[in-house]
Amino acid sequence: MAPDLRPLPVTHAPLRRLPQLFAGLALYGTSMAMQIRGGLGLNPWDVLHQGLATRLPISFGAITAVTGVAVLLLWIPLRQRPGIGTLANVVVIAFAVDAALALLPAPTGLVPRLAMMAGGIVLNGVASAAYVGARLGPGPRDGLMTGFAARTGRSIRLVRTAIEIVVLGTGWLLGGTVGVGTVLYALAIGPLTQLFLPLFVVREPEPVRTA
């Protein structure tokens, strides 16, 4: 049975959930940097971010933050409500990816690049499970997907596919990197996240028993 990922109040187990959220987001930004340094293809949203970064005089992390804010504005007509995890997603990932890009050298040779790409994808699955499992609110892009699905009555799979095709195509036209890493990410990220979720998902608080 799929785990319940609906947001919980911040007051429930904050000493576990808040560190898990921020660590997961920091690792997510690091995984993005690893895939960028691998240079073999990015996930659809990062293809868009990279394409925009080639045309705007700001860092990759700043691009992700600006895009996240723009996506949040689309939540308004969809009647989506952000949580602390939503806002943290915008800020923490932006700083983390820029810091990791500053520290990680670009590998030379195909084997090191493949290793960097594969490690980034696996770490992305761990990080996604950690921040989603904290149940403190969806990321801007996840909320856009669920909001469109709720408003249109279409399936999550169809809405996600449509959004990512548009995002990927736009990013590619702007000069973002599409390659084997893009395909591998698309195939692997769902199973990886599902694999790691049981390790991180926070359960509902136990009901108070009355005599």
Side-chain angles (χ1 to χ4, degrees), residues 66-122:
V66 170
T67 305
V69 171
V71 170
L72 280 177
L73 293 177
L74 296 176
W75 281 33
I76 297 173
L78 297 174
R79 298 177 184 176
Q80 294 284 91
R81 298 180 64 181
I84 185 174
T86 310
L87 304 178
N89 185 291
V90 174
V91 177
V92 176
I93 288 178
F95 280 104
V97 68
D98 276 350
L101 285 172
L103 294 172
L104 288 174
T108 57
L110 181 58
V111 172
R113 292 172 66 198
L114 284 169
M116 183 75 81
M117 175 198 71
I121 292 173
V122 173

Side-chain angles (χ1 to χ4, degrees), residues 106-157:
T108 57
L110 181 58
V111 172
R113 292 172 66 198
L114 284 169
M116 183 75 81
M117 175 198 71
I121 292 173
V122 173
L123 182 60
N124 193 276
V126 174
S128 296
Y131 89 75
V132 170
R135 298 176 67 177
L136 285 162
R141 296 152 189 84
D142 295 328
L144 179 68
M145 173 185 65
T146 56
F148 268 122
R151 296 290 287 173
T152 63
R154 304 293 184 181
S155 69
I156 291 288
R157 179 180 300 177

Side-chain angles (χ1 to χ4, degrees), residues 206-211:
E206 294 289 334
V208 177
R209 296 181 180 274
T210 57

